[in-house]
Amino acid sequence: MITMILGEVANFAAYAFAPAVLVTPLGALSIIFSAVLAHFVLKEKLHMFGVVGCILCVVGSVGIVLHAPKEREIDSIDEIWHLATEPGFIVYSCVAVVSVLFLIFWVAERSGHRKMLVYIAICSTMGSLTVISVKAVAIALKLSFGGSNQFIYIQTWFFIVVVIVCCLVQLNYLNKALDSFNTAVVSPVYYVMFTILTIFANMIMYKDSFSRNATQIATQLCGFVTIVAGTFLLHKTRDMGNEPPLPDDEICLDGGSVRPDRLSQSSS
């Protein structure tokens, strides 16, 4: 639990020094470390497809890092507020909030327990707003530690409230998705949708994609697709090679096992 908290603090700090387009996709690296540690610590066999999935995640991450956009210099929370109140991002925020409310109060009540994408769409849409707000708070903290107190502005506290509300909504519906559907399917789908919407929201607000050429954008997209493929392969085949437990009807009292057809033959 301590290491998990430290990891989230480090992830929060990363948004203060790097663009969200770079930080968010690299979250797939945690899947690699989990798979490798499970192989050595938990004795869960990492089969050939798992190794290929890890390699794909590493290759995709390297491509994203090498072609990541330069971080935009932010000097105050007022500058972030100005970017957040431009027409493009206001339209995106309104569409996102209306879509989430529609999904929560109309769609989720009727078919959320049967359609996985309903819960994941809620989590991913709110997640894109969470990342934007987290980045604003992280930059405010960085500037405050640098000597320019940003917590005297109401805008900073507004972003903090948005972070809290969005995180609560995300946790609630992510737990519902995990309770209702297979984790091996929920995790990669949520990662893909969350990352796409986060990158899209970041592009609208910070407009960092306009400073890059077509080759850089295409390379970063290829890196992201490679990570998605590796993540999906890891999750889809993570139980391959691990022997399933014997059914109850094949377990004997002495610890051995016997097939049901042999039981019928011996009884006859």
Side-chain angles (χ1 to χ4, degrees):
M1 184 65 70
I2 293 175
T3 56
M4 186 175 183
I5 293 173
L6 292 176
E8 291 302 321
V9 171
N11 189 55
F12 176 83
Y15 284 107
F17 301 97
V21 178
L22 172 62
V23 176
T24 304
L26 292 183
L29 292 179
S30 63
I31 301 174
I32 298 177
F33 288 106
S34 297
V36 174
L37 288 175
H39 177 75
F40 291 103
V41 179
L42 302 178
K43 306 304 179 182
E44 295 181 358
K45 186 178 180 181
L46 187 62
H47 47 79
M48 181 184 66
F49 291 105
V51 174
V52 173
C54 291
I55 294 174
L56 288 175
C57 289
V58 171
V59 172
S61 300
V62 171
I64 288 178
V65 171
L66 293 178
H67 296 87
K70 293 183 179 180
E71 174 70 355
R72 181 170 183 165
E73 293 294 333
I74 303 294
D75 298 324
S76 67
I77 198 70
D78 285 334
E79 187 175 349
I80 301 177
W81 183 256
H82 174 72
L83 293 172
T85 53
E86 288 187 352
F89 189 74
I90 289 179
V91 171
Y92 174 81
S93 301
C94 292
V95 171
V97 171
V98 171
S99 300
V100 167
L101 293 177
F102 173 75
L103 290 173
I104 291 175
F105 294 106
W106 182 262
V107 181
E109 295 294 333
R110 290 166 172 78
S111 58
H113 62 285
R114 292 184 289 105
K115 297 180 180 179
M116 179 185 64
L117 287 179
V118 175
Y119 291 147
I120 295 181
I122 295 173
C123 297
S124 302
T125 305
M126 295 302 289
S128 64
L129 299 178
T130 302
V131 169
I132 294 296
S133 302
V134 163
K135 185 172 179 65
V137 176
I139 292 176
L141 283 171
K142 182 180 73 171
L143 295 174
S144 298
F145 285 129
S148 177
N149 187 12
Q150 301 297 309
F151 288 88
I152 60 176
Y153 302 108
I154 190 65
Q155 293 92 332
T156 303
W157 295 102
F158 173 81
F159 283 120
I160 292 175
V161 172
V162 173
V163 169
I164 295 174
V165 173
C166 292
C167 285
L168 291 176
V169 175
Q170 276 184 267
L171 288 174
N172 181 34
Y173 285 95
L174 182 58
N175 285 330
K176 287 186 177 182
L178 293 174
D179 287 339
S180 304
F181 305 99
N182 189 352
T183 305
V185 179
V186 171
S187 296
V189 174
Y190 172 61
Y191 168 76
V192 172
M193 187 176 293
F194 167 72
T195 304
I196 290 175
L197 290 178
T198 298
I199 293 176
F200 184 64
N202 192 79
M203 289 170 57
I204 293 176
M205 181 168 174
Y206 292 99
K207 303 177 179 64
D208 51 16
S209 61
F210 298 105
S211 61
R212 294 180 290 168
N213 56 42
T215 302
Q216 291 175 313
I217 296 175
T219 304
Q220 195 164 23
L221 287 175
C222 290
F224 173 66
V225 172
T226 305
I227 290 179
V228 170
T231 304
F232 180 79
L233 189 61
L234 272 173
H235 278 276
K236 196 67 176 177
T237 62
R238 65 178 183 175
D239 293 328
M240 186 180 296
N242 297 321
E243 294 182 358
L246 289 171
D248 293 337
D249 57 358
E250 295 188 6
I251 300 177
C252 296
L253 294 177
D254 60 356
S257 61
V258 61
R259 296 180 59 87
D261 53 355
R262 294 184 180 178
L263 283 174
S264 61
Q265 291 175 4
S266 60
S267 61
S268 60

